[in-house]
Amino acid sequence: MNNKIVYLVGAGPGDPGLITVKGMACIRKADVLVYDYLVSKSLLKNAKHDAEIIYVGKQGNKHTMEQEDINQLLATKAKENKVVTRLKGGDPYVFGRGGEEGLVLKEQKIPFEVVPGITAAIATPAYAGIPVTHRSYTSTFGLITGHEDPTKDRSEIDWEKLSTGIGTLTFYMGIKNLPNIVEQLTKHGRPKDTPAAVIRWGTTTAQKTVVGTLANIVEKAKEIKPPAITIVGEVVKLRDQLNWFETRPLFGKTIVVTRSRDQASEFSDRLFDLGADVIEFPTISITGPDDFGPLDKEIKRLDSTDWVIFTSVNGVDSFFQRIFDLGGDVRDLKGVKICAIGPATTEKVREFHVKVDCQPPKYVAESVAEVLNTVEDLKGKRILMPRTDIARSYLPEELQKLGADVADIIAYKTVIADNEDDAVLEKLKSGAVDIVTFTSSSTVRNFVQIIGKDNLDDFKEKVQFASIGPITTKTIEEMDIPLSIKADEYTIPGLVKAILDQVNKNVEGEI
Ligand code: SAH
C-alpha cells in the first residue's frame, strides 16, 4: 500500500489542548513524527507506539538540524511510503518555514497537506487577557517578524507605514531586537504612551507577562528571554479586565503528584485545569500477585459468596481483569452483593456495568464494617476482599469479629516505582516546587525511599505537603514530614479542595 504523504501540522502555541482535531489525528496516524522546540512535548504521547519520533530543534539560532536537512528528511521518509507528520509550533505557515518545506515536497512530487494551527500572536495575547482586535480600539492587526537584523541597510519592513498604519502590532522573535523595534515605531510616529506587553511562554503554565508603554517596555522586559511575543496597541489596556488565565487559582503553583502513572491523570488534570504546573512523579506501580491461585479459587466460588468488598480502584480493575482472563464475565457475579469504599471505587465498578449495593458515608475502612453490619447481619456470610499485598488487616478483622467468613485475597501488588527522575529532586531542593501530594501511605513511604531521607530533610521546610486522608496523614507524621494540607473528604476532589483552600489562605495572609 502506498501511504506516502507529509502533513505539515500546526501544534498550537504551547497549551497541548490548543491543537486542532485534525492535527491530533495526524499525530495518531504518523509513522514518523518530526517536531520542533516549541511543540508541547505532551502531544507526542499520542503517537503510535512504534512511531519514529525525531526532534529537529531550532531554538533561536541554535539549530539541531539545518532547514535544508529537515526538508530532505521529510522527503526521504515519505519516499519510504510512510505517513510523515511534521509538527510545528503555532501555525506552520506563520514564520514557521512551512512554505519552504511545502515547496520542496511539491518539487519532489510528494503529496502533502497543511493543517493550520493557532498562531502565537493570537493565542498568547488571548491567554494574557488581550484581545488582538476590539471595536473600540482597533480594526487592524499585524503579524511581524522582529528577527530582522537591525544593522541591515534596507529593512524589509516599511516602518513608516507600519508604525501608524496598523492598530495592533505583534512581533515574533523580537526579544533581542526589542530596543530597535521600539525605536523604529516611535521614530515613525507611534506615540510613546502606546501600551505594550511582552508575553513569554504564552498559554503554558510558565507564562509570564510584562506590561508597559513604548516609553518603558524595553526596561520592563529586560529580564524576559525568548520565546516571547511583543504586542503593541491600545488593546493591551483590556488586560486589566480580561486577564483570566494568570488569575486562575493555582496559576504559578508547581505541584507534585506521586500516584502511579496509570492513576495520576484524573488528579493531574484537575490541578492543571486550575492553572497548576503539575509534575508527575510516580512512586508506586501496580503489578499482578506472585500467585494467582488464591484469587482464582475465590473467583470459582463466587456463586457461594455473599459480598465482595472493594477498597481501591486497583482492586476493582485487577479483580474484573482476572475474571475476564479466566474466560468469565460479569454474570459470574450474579447474586453477589458489592460494597465499594468510596466514590472513585464505586465509579470503577460501574464502568464494568455492575451495580454497587453499599458505599459507606465516610471513605475509610473503619466505616465499612459499621455500615455493612446495618445492611444485614454478617454472621456466617462469606465476604471476599480483593486487595493489595500491603492492605491493613483492620477491616477483615472487624468483619470476622462480626461473625463473617472473610477471604482477604491479594489481587494486585503495590511496588515501588522504578523512578530515576533526578530533575524533580533538583526542583524540590531549589524551592521550585510548592506542594507535594500524597494519596496513600505507600506513596509517602516510597517517596521518601526514592528521594532519600537526607535529601528530604534539605527541602521539607520549603515545600508544603498534602494528604488525602487519615491513614496517609498518620504515615506522613510517622515519617516526620510537616503536614499543612489535609483533605476533609477523603477523595481526589476533596484533596483538590483542600489545596485550593490552603492557597487562598496563603494569598489572604499576604495581603
Ligand atoms: N509558527 C509559530 C511561530 C514560530 S517563530 C507560530 O505560528 O506561532 C518563533 C516565535 O514565535 C518565538 O520567537 C516567539 O516570538 C513566538 N512564539 C511561539 N510560541 C510562543 C509562546 N508560547 N509564547 C510566546 N511566544 C511564542
Side-chain angles (χ1 to χ4, degrees), residues 176-483:
K176 237 175 63 198
N177 239 344
L178 191 59
N180 181 50
I181 292 168
V182 169
E183 191 195 316
Q184 294 292 341
L185 291 176
T186 46
K187 193 164 92 188
H188 291 98
R190 196 75 180 225
K192 280 205 159 118
D193 61 359
T194 309
V198 176
I199 308 152
R200 180 173 196 237
W201 280 126
T203 78
T204 74
T205 50
Q207 174 171 312
K208 188 165 170 41
T209 309
V210 290
V211 182
T213 61
L214 286 180
N216 62 19
I217 194 72
V218 171
E219 174 61 22
K220 286 195 161 183
K222 69 174 191 291
E223 304 292 335
I224 300 273
K225 297 192 173 62
I229 283 281
T230 301
I231 175 164
V232 177
E234 298 301 315
V235 284
V236 171
K237 288 181 183 158
L238 288 164
R239 173 174 159 85
D240 287 344
Q241 293 160 72
L242 301 182
N243 182 10
W244 61 275
F245 182 71
E246 294 166 26
T247 54
R248 289 175 314 157
L250 298 180
F251 184 79
K253 300 284 172 224
T254 301
I255 304 182
V256 172
V257 169
T258 54
R259 309 191 97 184
S260 71
R261 203 169 288 291
D262 295 339
Q263 275 198 302
S265 61
E266 184 212 344
F267 188 26
S268 304
D269 289 352
R270 279 174 191 262
L271 296 172
F272 179 78
D273 288 345
L274 290 163
D277 178 14
V278 181
I279 303 178
E280 287 189 359
F281 185 72
T283 56
I284 57 180
S285 72
I286 306 300
T287 62
D290 296 334
D291 175 11
F292 274 106
L295 180 61
D296 292 356
K297 199 168 129 206
E298 290 303 321
I299 287 175
K300 284 195 193 105
R301 50 195 237 192
L302 280 171
D303 53 357
S304 62
T305 301
D306 298 289
W307 283 92
V308 177
I309 302 178
F310 291 111
T311 52
S312 69
V313 168
N314 287 319
V316 180
D317 263 335
S318 5
F319 177 71
F320 279 92
Q321 194 51 52
R322 192 60 190 167
I323 292 183
F324 303 148
D325 288 348
L326 293 174
D329 61 34
V330 291
R331 288 173 297 181
D332 294 355
L333 284 163
K334 186 170 164 43
V336 182
K337 288 191 275 293
I338 308 275
C339 171
I341 197 167
T345 312
T346 295
E347 192 46 45
K348 194 70 196 171
V349 175
R350 289 203 183 123
E351 278 178 25
F352 292 99
H353 305 289
V354 171
K355 195 177 85 183
V356 169
D357 301 281
C358 172
Q359 179 196 294
K362 281 192 243 147
Y363 313 138
V364 286
E366 280 69 3
S367 118
V368 175
E370 209 175 289
V371 171
L372 217 52
N373 202 37
T374 62
V375 177
E376 66 174 335
D377 182 5
L378 294 178
K379 205 161 182 189
K381 294 284 187 292
R382 286 210 69 239
I383 300 180
L384 168 62
M385 300 180 61
R387 305 202 296 168
T388 164
D389 55 328
I390 53 166
R392 292 187 302 144
S393 58
Y394 173 83
L395 183 53
E397 280 167 14
E398 284 304 297
L399 293 166
Q400 260 150 11
K401 279 188 211 157
L402 295 167
D405 170 14
V406 183
D408 182 14
I409 299 292
I410 299 177
Y412 67 97
K413 269 177 48 175
T414 306
V415 297
I416 189 159
D418 189 7
N419 184 330
E420 287 171 6
D421 194 347
D422 288 343
V424 174
L425 179 59
E426 287 315 309
K427 284 191 179 168
L428 285 160
K429 282 191 172 176
S430 70
V433 171
D434 299 284
I435 300 169
V436 175
T437 60
F438 294 121
T439 45
S440 67
S441 289
S442 42
T443 61
V444 184
R445 286 193 211 97
N446 295 0
F447 178 80
V448 175
Q449 197 173 326
I450 294 169
I451 288 288
K453 185 91 182 81
D454 290 349
N455 286 323
L456 176 69
D457 290 340
D458 281 355
F459 66 77
K460 71 180 187 188
E461 303 301 332
K462 285 191 227 169
V463 174
Q464 297 200 56
F465 293 90
S467 165
I468 196 166
I471 310 299
T472 308
T473 296
K474 196 159 156 270
T475 312
I476 295 172
E477 283 163 357
E478 277 164 18
M479 295 269 174
D480 207 20
I481 296 173
L483 185 63

Side-chain angles (χ1 to χ4, degrees), residues 10-15 36-39 58 60 88-98 117-125 143-147 171-175 198-204 207-208 225-230:
D15 178 345
D36 278 349
Y37 172 63
L38 287 171
V39 169
K58 269 212 204 165
K88 289 168 166 287
D91 179 272
Y93 278 2
V94 178
F95 305 122
R97 304 190 73 168
I118 304 181
T119 190
I122 293 176
T124 65
L143 283 67
I144 305 132
T145 172
H147 193 46
F171 295 89
Y172 290 74
M173 302 170 282
I175 286 305
V198 176
I199 308 152
R200 180 173 196 237
W201 280 126
T203 78
T204 74
Q207 174 171 312
K208 188 165 170 41
K225 297 192 173 62
I229 283 281
T230 301

